[in-house]
PDB file of all heavy atoms in Angstrom:
ATOM      1  N   GLU N   1      64.942 100.847  57.315  1.00 89.00           N
ATOM      2  CA  GLU N   1      64.996  99.452  57.680  1.00 89.00           C
ATOM      3  C   GLU N   1      65.255  99.202  59.198  1.00 89.00           C
ATOM      4  O   GLU N   1      64.594  98.375  59.840  1.00 89.00           O
ATOM      5  CB  GLU N   1      66.027  98.719  56.850  1.00 89.00           C
ATOM      6  CG  GLU N   1      65.725  98.667  55.348  1.00 89.00           C
ATOM      7  CD  GLU N   1      64.485  97.859  55.098  1.00 89.00           C
ATOM      8  OE1 GLU N   1      64.274  96.723  55.702  1.00 89.00           O
ATOM      9  OE2 GLU N   1      63.570  98.373  54.420  1.00 89.00           O
ATOM     10  N   LYS N   2      66.163  99.926  59.751  1.00 92.00           N
ATOM     11  CA  LYS N   2      66.545  99.778  61.154  1.00 92.00           C
ATOM     12  C   LYS N   2      65.406 100.209  62.058  1.00 92.00           C
ATOM     13  O   LYS N   2      65.031  99.540  63.036  1.00 92.00           O
ATOM     14  CB  LYS N   2      67.785 100.472  61.474  1.00 92.00           C
ATOM     15  CG  LYS N   2      69.040  99.892  60.775  1.00 92.00           C
ATOM     16  CD  LYS N   2      70.348 100.684  61.134  1.00 92.00           C
ATOM     17  CE  LYS N   2      71.534 100.007  60.485  1.00 92.00           C
ATOM     18  NZ  LYS N   2      72.773 100.772  60.744  1.00 92.00           N
ATOM     19  N   ALA N   3      64.746 101.337  61.741  1.00 92.00           N
ATOM     20  CA  ALA N   3      63.722 101.860  62.564  1.00 92.00           C
ATOM     21  C   ALA N   3      62.514 101.015  62.539  1.00 92.00           C
ATOM     22  O   ALA N   3      61.856 100.707  63.582  1.00 92.00           O
ATOM     23  CB  ALA N   3      63.325 103.328  62.158  1.00 92.00           C
ATOM     24  N   SER N   4      62.112 100.493  61.401  1.00 92.00           N
ATOM     25  CA  SER N   4      60.961  99.612  61.289  1.00 92.00           C
ATOM     26  C   SER N   4      61.189  98.263  62.069  1.00 92.00           C
ATOM     27  O   SER N   4      60.336  97.706  62.686  1.00 92.00           O
ATOM     28  CB  SER N   4      60.659  99.344  59.846  1.00 92.00           C
ATOM     29  OG  SER N   4      61.733  98.784  59.125  1.00 92.00           O
ATOM     30  N   HIS N   5      62.474  97.782  61.956  1.00 93.00           N
ATOM     31  CA  HIS N   5      62.808  96.552  62.732  1.00 93.00           C
ATOM     32  C   HIS N   5      62.618  96.787  64.227  1.00 93.00           C
ATOM     33  O   HIS N   5      62.122  95.997  64.951  1.00 93.00           O
ATOM     34  CB  HIS N   5      64.194  96.127  62.455  1.00 93.00           C
ATOM     35  CG  HIS N   5      64.684  94.935  63.219  1.00 93.00           C
ATOM     36  ND1 HIS N   5      64.340  93.701  62.953  1.00 93.00           N
ATOM     37  CD2 HIS N   5      65.546  94.876  64.299  1.00 93.00           C
ATOM     38  CE1 HIS N   5      64.932  92.900  63.915  1.00 93.00           C
ATOM     39  NE2 HIS N   5      65.597  93.681  64.653  1.00 93.00           N
ATOM     40  N   GLU N   6      63.101  97.944  64.722  1.00 94.00           N
ATOM     41  CA  GLU N   6      63.058  98.271  66.151  1.00 94.00           C
ATOM     42  C   GLU N   6      61.626  98.396  66.587  1.00 94.00           C
ATOM     43  O   GLU N   6      61.210  97.928  67.657  1.00 94.00           O
ATOM     44  CB  GLU N   6      63.825  99.485  66.417  1.00 94.00           C
ATOM     45  CG  GLU N   6      63.861  99.833  67.904  1.00 94.00           C
ATOM     46  CD  GLU N   6      64.809 101.085  68.250  1.00 94.00           C
ATOM     47  OE1 GLU N   6      65.518 101.488  67.285  1.00 94.00           O
ATOM     48  OE2 GLU N   6      64.819 101.445  69.367  1.00 94.00           O
ATOM     49  N   ALA N   7      60.747  99.028  65.716  1.00 94.00           N
ATOM     50  CA  ALA N   7      59.321  99.139  66.049  1.00 94.00           C
ATOM     51  C   ALA N   7      58.640  97.832  66.205  1.00 94.00           C
ATOM     52  O   ALA N   7      57.892  97.665  67.175  1.00 94.00           O
ATOM     53  CB  ALA N   7      58.643  99.974  64.936  1.00 94.00           C
ATOM     54  N   VAL N   8      58.875  96.879  65.332  1.00 94.00           N
ATOM     55  CA  VAL N   8      58.264  95.590  65.422  1.00 94.00           C
ATOM     56  C   VAL N   8      58.792  94.796  66.569  1.00 94.00           C
ATOM     57  O   VAL N   8      58.031  94.105  67.322  1.00 94.00           O
ATOM     58  CB  VAL N   8      58.417  94.781  64.083  1.00 94.00           C
ATOM     59  CG1 VAL N   8      57.880  93.390  64.271  1.00 94.00           C
ATOM     60  CG2 VAL N   8      57.740  95.477  62.908  1.00 94.00           C
ATOM     61  N   GLU N   9      60.075  94.908  66.901  1.00 95.00           N
ATOM     62  CA  GLU N   9      60.644  94.277  68.033  1.00 95.00           C
ATOM     63  C   GLU N   9      60.029  94.851  69.336  1.00 95.00           C
ATOM     64  O   GLU N   9      59.784  94.078  70.356  1.00 95.00           O
ATOM     65  CB  GLU N   9      62.182  94.365  68.054  1.00 95.00           C
ATOM     66  CG  GLU N   9      62.854  93.516  67.066  1.00 95.00           C
ATOM     67  CD  GLU N   9      62.517  92.088  67.150  1.00 95.00           C
ATOM     68  OE1 GLU N   9      62.731  91.503  68.252  1.00 95.00           O
ATOM     69  OE2 GLU N   9      62.114  91.460  66.184  1.00 95.00           O
ATOM     70  N   TYR N  10      59.825  96.110  69.330  1.00 95.00           N
ATOM     71  CA  TYR N  10      59.115  96.752  70.436  1.00 95.00           C
ATOM     72  C   TYR N  10      57.715  96.186  70.745  1.00 95.00           C
ATOM     73  O   TYR N  10      57.302  95.703  71.855  1.00 95.00           O
ATOM     74  CB  TYR N  10      58.935  98.285  70.273  1.00 95.00           C
ATOM     75  CG  TYR N  10      58.055  98.978  71.134  1.00 95.00           C
ATOM     76  CD1 TYR N  10      58.371  99.218  72.511  1.00 95.00           C
ATOM     77  CD2 TYR N  10      56.762  99.391  70.652  1.00 95.00           C
ATOM     78  CE1 TYR N  10      57.426  99.923  73.278  1.00 95.00           C
ATOM     79  CE2 TYR N  10      55.921 100.109  71.444  1.00 95.00           C
ATOM     80  CZ  TYR N  10      56.227 100.294  72.751  1.00 95.00           C
ATOM     81  OH  TYR N  10      55.342 100.988  73.628  1.00 95.00           O
ATOM     82  N   ALA N  11      56.953  95.949  69.621  1.00 94.00           N
ATOM     83  CA  ALA N  11      55.608  95.343  69.682  1.00 94.00           C
ATOM     84  C   ALA N  11      55.641  93.943  70.223  1.00 94.00           C
ATOM     85  O   ALA N  11      54.757  93.594  70.902  1.00 94.00           O
ATOM     86  CB  ALA N  11      54.948  95.534  68.341  1.00 94.00           C
ATOM     87  N   ARG N  12      56.707  93.159  69.786  1.00 92.00           N
ATOM     88  CA  ARG N  12      56.707  91.823  70.127  1.00 92.00           C
ATOM     89  C   ARG N  12      56.880  91.496  71.665  1.00 92.00           C
ATOM     90  O   ARG N  12      56.572  90.381  72.122  1.00 92.00           O
ATOM     91  CB  ARG N  12      57.854  91.051  69.391  1.00 92.00           C
ATOM     92  CG  ARG N  12      57.631  91.058  67.917  1.00 92.00           C
ATOM     93  CD  ARG N  12      58.801  90.448  67.202  1.00 92.00           C
ATOM     94  NE  ARG N  12      58.973  89.055  67.526  1.00 92.00           N
ATOM     95  CZ  ARG N  12      59.518  88.106  66.787  1.00 92.00           C
ATOM     96  NH1 ARG N  12      60.027  88.531  65.666  1.00 92.00           N
ATOM     97  NH2 ARG N  12      59.722  86.893  67.164  1.00 92.00           N
ATOM     98  N   GLN N  13      57.260  92.501  72.379  1.00 93.00           N
ATOM     99  CA  GLN N  13      57.406  92.287  73.854  1.00 93.00           C
ATOM    100  C   GLN N  13      56.122  92.241  74.607  1.00 93.00           C
ATOM    101  O   GLN N  13      56.135  91.761  75.725  1.00 93.00           O
ATOM    102  CB  GLN N  13      58.319  93.344  74.414  1.00 93.00           C
ATOM    103  CG  GLN N  13      57.640  94.748  74.532  1.00 93.00           C
ATOM    104  CD  GLN N  13      58.439  95.782  75.152  1.00 93.00           C
ATOM    105  OE1 GLN N  13      58.819  95.781  76.319  1.00 93.00           O
ATOM    106  NE2 GLN N  13      58.824  96.865  74.327  1.00 93.00           N
ATOM    107  N   PHE N  14      55.001  92.598  74.024  1.00 92.00           N
ATOM    108  CA  PHE N  14      53.755  92.608  74.649  1.00 92.00           C
ATOM    109  C   PHE N  14      52.937  91.406  74.260  1.00 92.00           C
ATOM    110  O   PHE N  14      53.117  90.779  73.234  1.00 92.00           O
ATOM    111  CB  PHE N  14      52.939  93.876  74.203  1.00 92.00           C
ATOM    112  CG  PHE N  14      53.625  95.118  74.595  1.00 92.00           C
ATOM    113  CD1 PHE N  14      54.384  95.890  73.721  1.00 92.00           C
ATOM    114  CD2 PHE N  14      53.546  95.559  75.927  1.00 92.00           C
ATOM    115  CE1 PHE N  14      54.980  97.114  74.001  1.00 92.00           C
ATOM    116  CE2 PHE N  14      54.148  96.778  76.293  1.00 92.00           C
ATOM    117  CZ  PHE N  14      54.891  97.499  75.356  1.00 92.00           C
ATOM    118  N   ASP N  15      52.015  91.033  75.185  1.00 88.00           N
ATOM    119  CA  ASP N  15      51.194  89.845  74.935  1.00 88.00           C
ATOM    120  C   ASP N  15      50.136  90.222  73.820  1.00 88.00           C
ATOM    121  O   ASP N  15      49.483  91.270  73.921  1.00 88.00           O
ATOM    122  CB  ASP N  15      50.474  89.400  76.183  1.00 88.00           C
ATOM    123  CG  ASP N  15      51.419  88.850  77.255  1.00 88.00           C
ATOM    124  OD1 ASP N  15      52.518  88.328  76.822  1.00 88.00           O
ATOM    125  OD2 ASP N  15      51.123  89.001  78.409  1.00 88.00           O
ATOM    126  N   ASP N  16      49.962  89.336  72.859  1.00 88.00           N
ATOM    127  CA  ASP N  16      48.944  89.498  71.788  1.00 88.00           C
ATOM    128  C   ASP N  16      48.947  90.906  71.221  1.00 88.00           C
ATOM    129  O   ASP N  16      47.885  91.569  71.257  1.00 88.00           O
ATOM    130  CB  ASP N  16      47.569  89.063  72.329  1.00 88.00           C
ATOM    131  CG  ASP N  16      47.626  87.690  72.966  1.00 88.00           C
ATOM    132  OD1 ASP N  16      48.009  86.790  72.281  1.00 88.00           O
ATOM    133  OD2 ASP N  16      47.132  87.569  74.132  1.00 88.00           O
ATOM    134  N   PRO N  17      50.101  91.336  70.672  1.00 91.00           N
ATOM    135  CA  PRO N  17      50.096  92.757  70.096  1.00 91.00           C
ATOM    136  C   PRO N  17      49.291  92.885  68.863  1.00 91.00           C
ATOM    137  O   PRO N  17      49.249  91.999  68.064  1.00 91.00           O
ATOM    138  CB  PRO N  17      51.652  92.941  69.877  1.00 91.00           C
ATOM    139  CG  PRO N  17      52.193  91.561  69.550  1.00 91.00           C
ATOM    140  CD  PRO N  17      51.343  90.600  70.415  1.00 91.00           C
ATOM    141  N   VAL N  18      48.743  94.061  68.716  1.00 91.00           N
ATOM    142  CA  VAL N  18      48.134  94.507  67.452  1.00 91.00           C
ATOM    143  C   VAL N  18      48.706  95.862  67.151  1.00 91.00           C
ATOM    144  O   VAL N  18      48.467  96.817  67.868  1.00 91.00           O
ATOM    145  CB  VAL N  18      46.590  94.571  67.491  1.00 91.00           C
ATOM    146  CG1 VAL N  18      46.000  95.151  66.200  1.00 91.00           C
ATOM    147  CG2 VAL N  18      46.007  93.190  67.766  1.00 91.00           C
ATOM    148  N   ILE N  19      49.417  96.014  66.027  1.00 93.00           N
ATOM    149  CA  ILE N  19      50.012  97.318  65.638  1.00 93.00           C
ATOM    150  C   ILE N  19      48.980  98.162  65.010  1.00 93.00           C
ATOM    151  O   ILE N  19      48.207  97.752  64.132  1.00 93.00           O
ATOM    152  CB  ILE N  19      51.190  97.095  64.717  1.00 93.00           C
ATOM    153  CG1 ILE N  19      52.404  96.469  65.505  1.00 93.00           C
ATOM    154  CG2 ILE N  19      51.664  98.412  64.051  1.00 93.00           C
ATOM    155  CD1 ILE N  19      53.593  96.212  64.681  1.00 93.00           C
ATOM    156  N   VAL N  20      48.906  99.418  65.384  1.00 91.00           N
ATOM    157  CA  VAL N  20      47.908 100.408  64.773  1.00 91.00           C
ATOM    158  C   VAL N  20      48.678 101.496  64.134  1.00 91.00           C
ATOM    159  O   VAL N  20      49.558 102.181  64.728  1.00 91.00           O
ATOM    160  CB  VAL N  20      47.004 100.951  65.936  1.00 91.00           C
ATOM    161  CG1 VAL N  20      45.927 101.810  65.278  1.00 91.00           C
ATOM    162  CG2 VAL N  20      46.418  99.881  66.811  1.00 91.00           C
ATOM    163  N   LEU N  21      48.331 101.697  62.827  1.00 89.00           N
ATOM    164  CA  LEU N  21      49.011 102.740  62.017  1.00 89.00           C
ATOM    165  C   LEU N  21      47.980 103.725  61.503  1.00 89.00           C
ATOM    166  O   LEU N  21      46.885 103.332  61.232  1.00 89.00           O
ATOM    167  CB  LEU N  21      49.825 102.122  60.833  1.00 89.00           C
ATOM    168  CG  LEU N  21      50.903 101.043  61.227  1.00 89.00           C
ATOM    169  CD1 LEU N  21      51.476 100.414  59.961  1.00 89.00           C
ATOM    170  CD2 LEU N  21      52.048 101.770  61.999  1.00 89.00           C
ATOM    171  N   GLU N  22      48.465 104.919  61.228  1.00 83.00           N
ATOM    172  CA  GLU N  22      47.607 105.857  60.525  1.00 83.00           C
ATOM    173  C   GLU N  22      47.500 105.654  59.026  1.00 83.00           C
ATOM    174  O   GLU N  22      48.485 105.179  58.458  1.00 83.00           O
ATOM    175  CB  GLU N  22      48.057 107.305  60.835  1.00 83.00           C
ATOM    176  CG  GLU N  22      47.976 107.748  62.245  1.00 83.00           C
ATOM    177  CD  GLU N  22      48.486 109.104  62.498  1.00 83.00           C
ATOM    178  OE1 GLU N  22      49.598 109.364  62.026  1.00 83.00           O
ATOM    179  OE2 GLU N  22      47.776 109.948  63.116  1.00 83.00           O
ATOM    180  N   ASN N  23      46.392 106.002  58.440  1.00 74.00           N
ATOM    181  CA  ASN N  23      46.228 105.841  57.031  1.00 74.00           C
ATOM    182  C   ASN N  23      46.878 107.096  56.385  1.00 74.00           C
ATOM    183  O   ASN N  23      46.285 108.190  56.501  1.00 74.00           O
ATOM    184  CB  ASN N  23      44.794 105.733  56.597  1.00 74.00           C
ATOM    185  CG  ASN N  23      44.585 105.633  55.119  1.00 74.00           C
ATOM    186  OD1 ASN N  23      45.598 105.737  54.388  1.00 74.00           O
ATOM    187  ND2 ASN N  23      43.348 105.373  54.732  1.00 74.00           N
ATOM    188  N   LEU N  24      48.045 106.966  55.849  1.00 61.00           N
ATOM    189  CA  LEU N  24      48.744 108.119  55.256  1.00 61.00           C
ATOM    190  C   LEU N  24      48.719 108.192  53.730  1.00 61.00           C
ATOM    191  O   LEU N  24      49.638 108.691  53.083  1.00 61.00           O
ATOM    192  CB  LEU N  24      50.172 108.107  55.806  1.00 61.00           C
ATOM    193  CG  LEU N  24      50.412 108.130  57.292  1.00 61.00           C
ATOM    194  CD1 LEU N  24      51.896 108.117  57.610  1.00 61.00           C
ATOM    195  CD2 LEU N  24      49.763 109.390  57.846  1.00 61.00           C
ATOM    196  N   SER N  25      47.726 107.723  53.143  1.00 52.00           N
ATOM    197  CA  SER N  25      47.697 107.577  51.690  1.00 52.00           C
ATOM    198  C   SER N  25      47.851 108.861  51.028  1.00 52.00           C
ATOM    199  O   SER N  25      48.425 109.010  49.925  1.00 52.00           O
ATOM    200  CB  SER N  25      46.285 106.928  51.259  1.00 52.00           C
ATOM    201  OG  SER N  25      46.126 105.667  51.723  1.00 52.00           O
ATOM    202  N   TYR N  26      47.291 109.946  51.590  1.00 44.00           N
ATOM    203  CA  TYR N  26      47.428 111.276  50.979  1.00 44.00           C
ATOM    204  C   TYR N  26      48.137 112.298  51.841  1.00 44.00           C
ATOM    205  O   TYR N  26      47.802 113.515  51.862  1.00 44.00           O
ATOM    206  CB  TYR N  26      46.013 111.747  50.651  1.00 44.00           C
ATOM    207  CG  TYR N  26      45.319 110.922  49.601  1.00 44.00           C
ATOM    208  CD1 TYR N  26      44.600 109.803  49.977  1.00 44.00           C
ATOM    209  CD2 TYR N  26      45.459 111.251  48.306  1.00 44.00           C
ATOM    210  CE1 TYR N  26      44.038 109.056  49.063  1.00 44.00           C
ATOM    211  CE2 TYR N  26      44.787 110.515  47.281  1.00 44.00           C
ATOM    212  CZ  TYR N  26      44.093 109.407  47.731  1.00 44.00           C
ATOM    213  OH  TYR N  26      43.457 108.606  46.680  1.00 44.00           O
ATOM    214  N   ILE N  27      49.130 111.830  52.608  1.00 45.00           N
ATOM    215  CA  ILE N  27      49.780 112.823  53.511  1.00 45.00           C
ATOM    216  C   ILE N  27      50.485 113.917  52.790  1.00 45.00           C
ATOM    217  O   ILE N  27      50.495 115.054  53.244  1.00 45.00           O
ATOM    218  CB  ILE N  27      50.880 111.963  54.390  1.00 45.00           C
ATOM    219  CG1 ILE N  27      51.312 112.939  55.496  1.00 45.00           C
ATOM    220  CG2 ILE N  27      52.007 111.504  53.601  1.00 45.00           C
ATOM    221  CD1 ILE N  27      52.133 112.210  56.489  1.00 45.00           C
ATOM    222  N   ARG N  28      51.062 113.708  51.618  1.00 43.00           N
ATOM    223  CA  ARG N  28      51.677 114.855  50.878  1.00 43.00           C
ATOM    224  C   ARG N  28      50.775 115.891  50.581  1.00 43.00           C
ATOM    225  O   ARG N  28      51.009 117.081  50.701  1.00 43.00           O
ATOM    226  CB  ARG N  28      52.327 114.323  49.636  1.00 43.00           C
ATOM    227  CG  ARG N  28      53.557 113.478  49.776  1.00 43.00           C
ATOM    228  CD  ARG N  28      54.043 112.849  48.461  1.00 43.00           C
ATOM    229  NE  ARG N  28      54.410 113.861  47.584  1.00 43.00           N
ATOM    230  CZ  ARG N  28      55.667 114.409  47.532  1.00 43.00           C
ATOM    231  NH1 ARG N  28      56.506 114.068  48.368  1.00 43.00           N
ATOM    232  NH2 ARG N  28      55.923 115.289  46.640  1.00 43.00           N
ATOM    233  N   GLU N  29      49.409 115.580  50.167  1.00 42.00           N
ATOM    234  CA  GLU N  29      48.502 116.528  49.822  1.00 42.00           C
ATOM    235  C   GLU N  29      47.964 117.256  51.092  1.00 42.00           C
ATOM    236  O   GLU N  29      47.489 118.399  51.039  1.00 42.00           O
ATOM    237  CB  GLU N  29      47.320 115.945  49.052  1.00 42.00           C
ATOM    238  CG  GLU N  29      47.649 115.568  47.671  1.00 42.00           C
ATOM    239  CD  GLU N  29      48.432 114.243  47.552  1.00 42.00           C
ATOM    240  OE1 GLU N  29      48.621 113.581  48.614  1.00 42.00           O
ATOM    241  OE2 GLU N  29      48.900 113.889  46.498  1.00 42.00           O
ATOM    242  N   ASN N  30      47.988 116.574  52.257  1.00 43.00           N
ATOM    243  CA  ASN N  30      47.472 117.216  53.431  1.00 43.00           C
ATOM    244  C   ASN N  30      48.464 118.197  54.138  1.00 43.00           C
ATOM    245  O   ASN N  30      48.054 118.999  54.905  1.00 43.00           O
ATOM    246  CB  ASN N  30      47.097 116.150  54.461  1.00 43.00           C
ATOM    247  CG  ASN N  30      45.799 115.434  54.078  1.00 43.00           C
ATOM    248  OD1 ASN N  30      44.960 116.043  53.552  1.00 43.00           O
ATOM    249  ND2 ASN N  30      45.706 114.236  54.467  1.00 43.00           N
ATOM    250  N   LEU N  31      49.731 118.020  53.835  1.00 44.00           N
ATOM    251  CA  LEU N  31      50.738 118.832  54.534  1.00 44.00           C
ATOM    252  C   LEU N  31      50.787 120.250  53.870  1.00 44.00           C
ATOM    253  O   LEU N  31      50.974 120.457  52.692  1.00 44.00           O
ATOM    254  CB  LEU N  31      52.153 118.195  54.379  1.00 44.00           C
ATOM    255  CG  LEU N  31      52.359 116.904  55.111  1.00 44.00           C
ATOM    256  CD1 LEU N  31      53.656 116.250  54.768  1.00 44.00           C
ATOM    257  CD2 LEU N  31      52.297 117.086  56.614  1.00 44.00           C
ATOM    258  N   ASP N  32      50.615 121.238  54.776  1.00 43.00           N
ATOM    259  CA  ASP N  32      50.596 122.599  54.349  1.00 43.00           C
ATOM    260  C   ASP N  32      51.200 123.455  55.463  1.00 43.00           C
ATOM    261  O   ASP N  32      50.401 124.096  56.105  1.00 43.00           O
ATOM    262  CB  ASP N  32      49.354 123.120  53.808  1.00 43.00           C
ATOM    263  CG  ASP N  32      49.390 124.439  53.240  1.00 43.00           C
ATOM    264  OD1 ASP N  32      50.482 124.900  52.907  1.00 43.00           O
ATOM    265  OD2 ASP N  32      48.388 125.188  53.144  1.00 43.00           O
ATOM    266  N   TYR N  33      52.502 123.488  55.592  1.00 39.00           N
ATOM    267  CA  TYR N  33      53.112 124.276  56.715  1.00 39.00           C
ATOM    268  C   TYR N  33      54.009 125.406  56.125  1.00 39.00           C
ATOM    269  O   TYR N  33      54.853 125.838  56.853  1.00 39.00           O
ATOM    270  CB  TYR N  33      53.933 123.365  57.603  1.00 39.00           C
ATOM    271  CG  TYR N  33      53.134 122.222  58.212  1.00 39.00           C
ATOM    272  CD1 TYR N  33      53.595 120.940  58.128  1.00 39.00           C
ATOM    273  CD2 TYR N  33      51.922 122.477  58.813  1.00 39.00           C
ATOM    274  CE1 TYR N  33      52.921 119.835  58.681  1.00 39.00           C
ATOM    275  CE2 TYR N  33      51.153 121.415  59.396  1.00 39.00           C
ATOM    276  CZ  TYR N  33      51.717 120.161  59.301  1.00 39.00           C
ATOM    277  OH  TYR N  33      50.960 119.138  59.820  1.00 39.00           O
ATOM    278  N   GLY N  34      53.814 125.776  54.908  1.00 44.00           N
ATOM    279  CA  GLY N  34      54.643 126.710  54.342  1.00 44.00           C
ATOM    280  C   GLY N  34      55.755 126.053  53.407  1.00 44.00           C
ATOM    281  O   GLY N  34      56.063 124.873  53.592  1.00 44.00           O
ATOM    282  N   ALA N  35      56.372 126.817  52.603  1.00 46.00           N
ATOM    283  CA  ALA N  35      57.290 126.207  51.566  1.00 46.00           C
ATOM    284  C   ALA N  35      58.496 125.546  52.209  1.00 46.00           C
ATOM    285  O   ALA N  35      58.790 124.410  51.838  1.00 46.00           O
ATOM    286  CB  ALA N  35      57.805 127.321  50.603  1.00 46.00           C
ATOM    287  N   TYR N  36      59.088 126.114  53.246  1.00 41.00           N
ATOM    288  CA  TYR N  36      60.283 125.506  53.763  1.00 41.00           C
ATOM    289  C   TYR N  36      59.921 124.186  54.535  1.00 41.00           C
ATOM    290  O   TYR N  36      60.563 123.195  54.327  1.00 41.00           O
ATOM    291  CB  TYR N  36      60.900 126.478  54.778  1.00 41.00           C
ATOM    292  CG  TYR N  36      62.038 125.859  55.629  1.00 41.00           C
ATOM    293  CD1 TYR N  36      63.214 125.508  54.958  1.00 41.00           C
ATOM    294  CD2 TYR N  36      61.896 125.617  56.972  1.00 41.00           C
ATOM    295  CE1 TYR N  36      64.363 124.975  55.722  1.00 41.00           C
ATOM    296  CE2 TYR N  36      62.955 125.096  57.686  1.00 41.00           C
ATOM    297  CZ  TYR N  36      64.100 124.691  57.043  1.00 41.00           C
ATOM    298  OH  TYR N  36      65.163 124.220  57.786  1.00 41.00           O
ATOM    299  N   MET N  37      58.886 124.223  55.375  1.00 40.00           N
ATOM    300  CA  MET N  37      58.578 123.019  56.088  1.00 40.00           C
ATOM    301  C   MET N  37      57.965 121.964  55.166  1.00 40.00           C
ATOM    302  O   MET N  37      58.252 120.728  55.363  1.00 40.00           O
ATOM    303  CB  MET N  37      57.526 123.330  57.227  1.00 40.00           C
ATOM    304  CG  MET N  37      57.252 122.169  58.108  1.00 40.00           C
ATOM    305  SD  MET N  37      58.692 121.486  58.991  1.00 40.00           S
ATOM    306  CE  MET N  37      59.090 122.836  60.084  1.00 40.00           C
ATOM    307  N   ASN N  38      57.222 122.385  54.125  1.00 44.00           N
ATOM    308  CA  ASN N  38      56.693 121.365  53.180  1.00 44.00           C
ATOM    309  C   ASN N  38      57.861 120.640  52.510  1.00 44.00           C
ATOM    310  O   ASN N  38      57.774 119.482  52.362  1.00 44.00           O
ATOM    311  CB  ASN N  38      55.827 122.129  52.167  1.00 44.00           C
ATOM    312  CG  ASN N  38      54.449 122.321  52.655  1.00 44.00           C
ATOM    313  OD1 ASN N  38      54.010 121.702  53.704  1.00 44.00           O
ATOM    314  ND2 ASN N  38      53.662 123.156  51.913  1.00 44.00           N
ATOM    315  N   ARG N  39      58.819 121.398  52.111  1.00 47.00           N
ATOM    316  CA  ARG N  39      59.991 120.705  51.423  1.00 47.00           C
ATOM    317  C   ARG N  39      60.663 119.781  52.283  1.00 47.00           C
ATOM    318  O   ARG N  39      61.037 118.598  51.850  1.00 47.00           O
ATOM    319  CB  ARG N  39      60.965 121.861  50.904  1.00 47.00           C
ATOM    320  CG  ARG N  39      62.095 121.355  50.066  1.00 47.00           C
ATOM    321  CD  ARG N  39      63.367 121.182  50.836  1.00 47.00           C
ATOM    322  NE  ARG N  39      63.856 122.461  51.282  1.00 47.00           N
ATOM    323  CZ  ARG N  39      64.907 122.588  52.220  1.00 47.00           C
ATOM    324  NH1 ARG N  39      65.448 121.546  52.705  1.00 47.00           N
ATOM    325  NH2 ARG N  39      65.238 123.758  52.614  1.00 47.00           N
TER     326      ARG N  39
END
């Protein structure tokens, strides 16, 4: 909650902001860095 609030407040300081996010619908399936890092 706090981090998302700070991110939007950061965007509001610019003129006519458009926030761009990555499509992370399947991020869990894409991650494969070994058992420890995956966990």
Side-chain angles (χ1 to χ4, degrees):
E1 291 300 311
K2 291 179 178 177
S4 57
H5 173 77
E6 185 173 351
V8 173
E9 288 302 307
Y10 164 76
R12 291 178 66 157
Q13 70 179 297
F14 298 100
D15 293 335
D16 304 309
V18 175
I19 289 177
V20 188
L21 301 172
E22 292 179 311
N23 183 352
L24 299 181
S25 300
Y26 293 87
I27 189 169
R28 288 174 62 85
E29 288 78 8
N30 282 328
L31 292 173
D32 184 19
Y33 303 131
Y36 172 69
M37 187 59 69
N38 278 346
R39 187 256 298 169

